[in-house]
Amino acid sequence: MPVIELKGIKREYRMEARRGSKKGNRTDGSSTDTVVVRALRGVDFSAEKGEFVAVMGPSGSGKSTLMNILGCLDKPSEGVYSLDGIETSKSSSDVFAFIRNRKIGFVFQSFNLLARTTALENVELPLFYRRSEKKEKRLDAKGRKEHAMAALEEVGLLERMDHFPSQLSGGQQQRVAIARALVNDPAFILADEPTGNLDSGMSLEIMGLFQELNKRGKTIVMVTHEPELAAYTKRIITLRDGELVSDREPEERRVASDDLARWKKEHSILSGDE
């Protein structure tokens, strides 16, 4: 069974536009027209456990709308979205909240860490709001700490667990954000332009981490506008005008750890370290 399955997903937004006769330089606004914006026009898409998918497309293609639906931040106007066996399209707000907390790990471009809390406390945060499944024991303080430490260890940042975000590099902050996304063991990770605020070296580090997590069986969907980053995934879907127009494997899948080693060597030579 696919982790993610979308069938005939449409999303329409209806807006009222004022229309009326002109009087001098003004419009009297005597009537309104309804303008329909079709952001998604019947998207079919599925992802199996362990896939690493890039979602691409130009501005206005429907990427953000699709991301919001995948993340259960919005509902489709038509169609069916099943996530880890749960049909979400007609779910209640409580079910939506459960899905966002337990089934999806969000990674944002801007990290979204709390400045006055440590790395460990930032990772623990989703566990405070953890929505328990039936017959599941609620985590106590010790359990939350153990879960958060395990997630930090998974991203290679356990030794920095007592550091505040201001004491971490951009790449390290994003690692903390990824650990926070992992801490509830979600069905998949949804990453929105995860390297947008990072330089080239740190971007390669994060893509290397995603590739490593994917090797361990994590399902990842990454929204990006950069073909260079999409080349690190296993599959690329492309949207245009609200339709899925392409679904393919990268022409040449790249290995981020190799590219990072090459980047470090080149910059070491340029800085005169060799």
Side-chain angles (χ1 to χ4, degrees):
M1 181 178 66
V3 174
I4 297 167
E5 188 168 23
L6 289 81
K7 294 181 178 179
I9 294 295
K10 296 182 181 180
R11 186 63 175 102
E12 297 180 350
Y13 300 95
R14 297 178 180 273
M15 299 178 290
E16 298 294 327
R18 287 194 172 277
R19 177 173 58 84
S21 59
K22 283 195 172 183
K23 294 181 179 180
N25 293 326
R26 296 187 302 171
T27 301
D28 64 9
S30 57
S31 62
T32 60
D33 288 334
T34 300
V35 177
V36 179
V37 178
R38 294 177 173 84
L40 294 176
R41 301 168 179 261
V43 172
D44 295 318
F45 164 66
S46 64
E48 302 289 337
K49 181 176 174 58
E51 287 205 64
F52 188 1
V53 184
V55 179
M56 299 192 68
S59 178
S61 63
K63 291 195 310 295
S64 295
T65 303
L66 179 61
M67 185 194 72
N68 288 338
I69 290 174
L70 287 172
C72 289
L73 302 170
D74 193 11
K75 292 184 179 183
S77 304
E78 292 183 33
V80 176
Y81 171 30
S82 297
L83 170 55
D84 202 28
I86 302 174
E87 205 287 284
T88 70
S89 307
K90 298 179 181 179
S91 296
S92 66
S93 57
D94 283 345
V95 173
F96 249 40
F98 169 79
I99 292 170
R100 287 192 298 267
N101 180 250
R102 295 298 301 271
K103 298 296 183 180
I104 307 169
F106 294 93
V107 179
F108 304 98
Q109 176 178 334
S110 55
F111 319 141
N112 289 354
L113 301 179
L114 298 181
R116 297 183 181 181
T117 58
T118 65
L120 180 67
E121 291 165 339
N122 267 285
V123 176
E124 278 188 278
L125 193 59
L127 299 172
F128 280 102
Y129 304 102
R130 182 183 176 107
R131 291 177 174 252
S132 301
E133 299 188 75
K134 290 180 180 178
K135 300 181 181 179
E136 184 180 38
K137 187 178 179 181
R138 190 173 182 84
L139 287 174
D140 57 14
K142 181 182 177 183
R144 290 195 299 269
K145 184 175 182 179
E146 289 174 350
H147 274 63
M149 289 176 66
L152 282 169
E153 187 172 25
E154 194 165 8
V155 302
L157 214 60
L158 183 59
E159 74 280 2
R160 300 274 182 156
M161 68 178 189
D162 293 323
H163 286 62
F164 292 93
S166 61
Q167 298 170 314
L168 301 172
S169 69
Q172 289 169 337
Q173 289 184 60
Q174 192 61 295
R175 283 175 178 267
V176 174
I178 293 170
R180 182 182 58 195
L182 292 169
V183 75
N184 268 328
D185 191 24
F188 80 104
I189 295 172
L190 181 58
D192 179 22
E193 303 283 0
T195 65
N197 286 346
L198 304 177
D199 65 22
S200 298
M202 290 180 180
S203 294
L204 289 171
E205 286 185 10
I206 294 303
M207 294 312 301
L209 175 58
F210 277 140
Q211 286 188 326
E212 181 59 34
L213 292 172
N214 182 242
K215 282 181 183 177
R216 299 177 201 165
K218 302 297 183 185
T219 307
I220 304 171
V221 176
M222 179 180 73
V223 178
T224 182
H225 66 278
E226 300 184 53
E228 297 86 356
L229 295 181
Y232 295 109
T233 68
K234 293 179 177 177
R235 179 181 169 196
I236 302 170
I237 68 169
T238 304
L239 297 174
R240 187 177 298 277
D241 298 327
E243 297 180 344
L244 198 158
V245 296
S246 174
D247 186 346
R248 62 178 178 83
E249 294 181 359
E251 293 179 6
E252 181 183 355
R253 191 177 187 227
R254 304 188 66 85
V255 179
S257 58
D258 293 346
D259 288 348
L260 178 61
R262 192 177 303 113
W263 182 89
K264 286 181 176 179
K265 184 176 180 180
E266 290 172 354
H267 282 71
S268 177
I269 293 172
L270 288 171
S271 64
D273 292 340
E274 290 190 350

